[in-house]
Amino acid sequence: MNAYLVGGAVRDRLLGLPPGDRDYVVVGATPEAMEAAGYRRVGRDFPVFLHPGTGEEYALARTERKSGRGHRGFVVHADPSVTLEQDLARRDFTINAIAEDAQGRLVDPFGGAADLDARVLRHVGAAFAEDPLRVLRAARFMARLAPLGFRVADETRALMRAMAESGELAELTPERVWQELARALAAARPSAFLRTLREAGALAAVLPEVDALYGVPQRAEYHPEIDTGAHVEMVCDMAATLAPGDAVIGFAALTHDLGKALTPAHRLPRHVGHEHAGLAPLEALCARLKVPAAHRELAVVACREHLNVHRIAELRAATVHDLIARCDGFRKPARIGQLALVCEADKRGRLGLADAPYPQGDLLRRLHAAALAVGARDLAAEGLSGPEIGQALRRARIAAIDAVPRH
């Protein structure tokens, strides 16, 4: 029985990146032998075990055979006769098909180390085409690796296009699509995820509401980049800069302008009312992908309110109060700070405006803090009851907002 460190731990060490989870492949073992050695079985679809001391995952070497459509249509075969090279051959990319033995020697049958040096994301073999999820994985890896100079190999991009054209991406489960999207939005360059999918013709299959934004013009005086799709890419990257690793902020950034795809052609490049028009496609996207409530709720707020936040200094105190209330900012105070970040990403995610100041964000936070400082207990001495308390609280909070200097 021999164990090899595999996958991301080897890849990231060779790239000089912080180490993540350490996963191992075991060659020449049976499930019974693993359990006799104290390993605890956790794999449902194939034999995976937890080390009795470290809790790290050890999977028996295995092969896979395509048995149906989609990313779950596989028969897994694991027994002591499966070699390390056979196990590595079923992996997605050469940079993930490198193993390391106990002495630190690399086993690299598919040239993954060379591709790491060349900054190329390349599929291992023809079996890549059997799993449509790998198209999304390629895009998600690019969201992480593009800042390091990686590109998708030409032959891999061509294979991804063929996979998209086959229609098999429609077989992906909503949960797996969301998982890959959320991880991409938490990466350093989410735009690379969108661009990679679009170049493969796959964005329309998994995120049609976002794909529809490409080619839609905007007014050049506000959006020097013109194209709405390009703008959304910039906003996502700015969100990743302002809130690193935060997929909640990232999802709101991705979806804040969905309504622009619905603007009638005769009104272009103006997009009057796009913030409200975007709510229907946003809700459809969230329902289809089973988006978690926290992501959906902030996305709805940002879609509906981002123009109001941009002109926050012009709004009356009562209007600001009602904006905060609509966002549930009194019960969930953190949401206002999140909204401010999304709106800042929207304003700075434009050609030539990456370093532009966004005083509206700070002003929104100060107005919110002033209103939040007023509570129902402050009105108890006035002898109010029932609806009177709510009315008086609103008046007091509006007064507190009004007292904050706007400039």
Side-chain angles (χ1 to χ4, degrees):
M1 182 171 91
N2 294 300
Y4 298 84
L5 184 66
V6 294
V10 180
R11 177 197 68 226
D12 290 349
R13 182 182 68 76
L14 294 175
L15 284 172
L17 298 174
D21 294 335
R22 293 166 59 89
D23 298 319
Y24 294 82
V25 160
V26 181
V27 178
T30 64
E32 294 75 20
M34 296 294 288
E35 290 174 337
Y39 289 78
R40 181 166 64 88
R41 182 164 182 166
V42 294
R44 182 176 59 183
D45 299 325
F46 45 81
V48 179
F49 301 82
L50 297 185
H51 189 282
T54 65
E56 294 173 327
E57 287 193 358
Y58 285 68
L60 297 189
R62 63 188 188 270
T63 59
E64 294 174 346
R65 177 173 56 82
K66 186 72 168 173
S67 62
R69 288 179 65 83
H71 67 280
R72 295 181 294 186
F74 290 90
V75 173
V76 176
H77 173 70
D79 69 35
S81 69
V82 178
T83 67
L84 176 62
E85 288 75 13
Q86 287 175 318
D87 181 275
L88 294 176
R90 69 174 177 78
R91 295 175 182 265
D92 48 11
F93 305 105
T94 61
I95 65 172
N96 295 332
I98 309 171
E100 183 179 297
D101 68 14
Q103 288 72 46
R105 295 175 299 219
L106 296 183
V107 180
D108 182 18
F110 303 103
D115 281 342
L116 284 174
D117 289 341
R119 298 297 195 257
V120 174
L121 188 67
R122 190 191 318 275
H123 66 285
V124 170
F128 180 93
E130 296 177 351
D131 185 354
L133 184 65
R134 290 178 168 179
V135 174
L136 270 70
R137 283 175 57 82
R140 190 250 297 171
F141 273 114
M142 286 302 296
R144 182 175 184 233
L145 298 176
L148 301 179
F150 272 78
R151 63 177 180 84
V152 178
D154 292 341
E155 62 270 29
T156 301
R157 184 180 293 108
L159 183 56
M160 289 165 61
R161 278 197 297 269
M163 293 168 70
E165 290 169 1
S166 76
E168 197 165 353
L169 271 65
E171 304 289 332
L172 294 173
T173 63
E175 293 83 1
R176 294 309 299 271
V177 174
W178 169 252
Q179 184 180 45
E180 296 299 325
L181 173 59
R183 294 177 72 177
L185 292 172
R189 194 171 296 172
S191 65
F193 175 83
L194 299 175
R195 201 170 303 119
T196 300
L197 288 180
R198 185 162 168 79
E199 289 173 354
L203 187 61
V206 293
L207 291 171
E209 298 87 355
V210 177
D211 186 70
L213 297 172
Y214 287 85
V216 176
Q218 304 165 107
R219 293 174 64 181
E221 63 266 38
Y222 300 118
H223 289 276
E225 70 284 353
I226 308 293
D227 188 280
T228 306
H231 168 58
V232 168
E233 289 183 3
M234 294 178 185
V235 175
C236 287
D237 285 353
M238 183 56 65
T241 298
L242 297 174
D246 193 330
V248 177
I249 299 290
F251 182 66
L254 174 70
T255 58
H256 79 285
D257 264 353
L258 293 184
K260 288 183 176 178
L262 303 177
T263 301
H266 69 274
R267 293 185 183 173
L268 296 174
R270 295 171 59 86
H271 293 278
V272 177
H274 76 273
E275 66 277 22
H276 297 290
L279 295 175
L282 172 56
E283 292 286 8
L285 188 160
C286 290
R288 187 178 69 253
L289 296 187
K290 302 179 181 179
V291 173
H295 298 72
R296 183 187 65 78
E297 290 169 5
L298 180 63
V300 167
V301 164
C303 180
R304 187 184 65 224
E305 307 291 351
H306 63 277
L307 294 188
N308 288 328
V309 176
H310 291 336
R311 57 190 186 95
I312 192 77
E314 306 164 18
L315 301 183
R316 294 181 302 141
T319 305
V320 173
H321 173 278
D322 294 346
L323 184 157
I324 293 170
R326 282 196 306 275
C327 298
D328 209 7
F330 294 116
R331 288 195 318 119
K332 299 178 179 178
R335 178 165 295 166
I336 300 303
Q338 291 176 311
L339 175 61
L341 280 175
V342 177
C343 293
E344 181 175 354
D346 176 31
K347 194 59 181 281
R348 294 173 59 187
R350 309 182 191 200
L351 191 63
L353 297 180
D355 298 318
Y358 190 69
Q360 296 96 319
D362 181 61
L363 177 57
L364 175 61
R365 294 183 186 94
R366 289 190 289 113
L367 296 173
H368 178 229
L372 207 58
V374 180
R377 291 181 180 178
D378 301 318
L379 307 175
E382 298 182 17
L384 302 174
S385 62
E388 294 176 329
I389 295 179
Q391 295 165 5
L393 182 59
R394 182 175 187 274
R395 288 194 297 269
R397 284 173 166 169
I398 290 172
I401 291 170
D402 203 31
V404 175
R406 299 292 183 101
H407 300 288

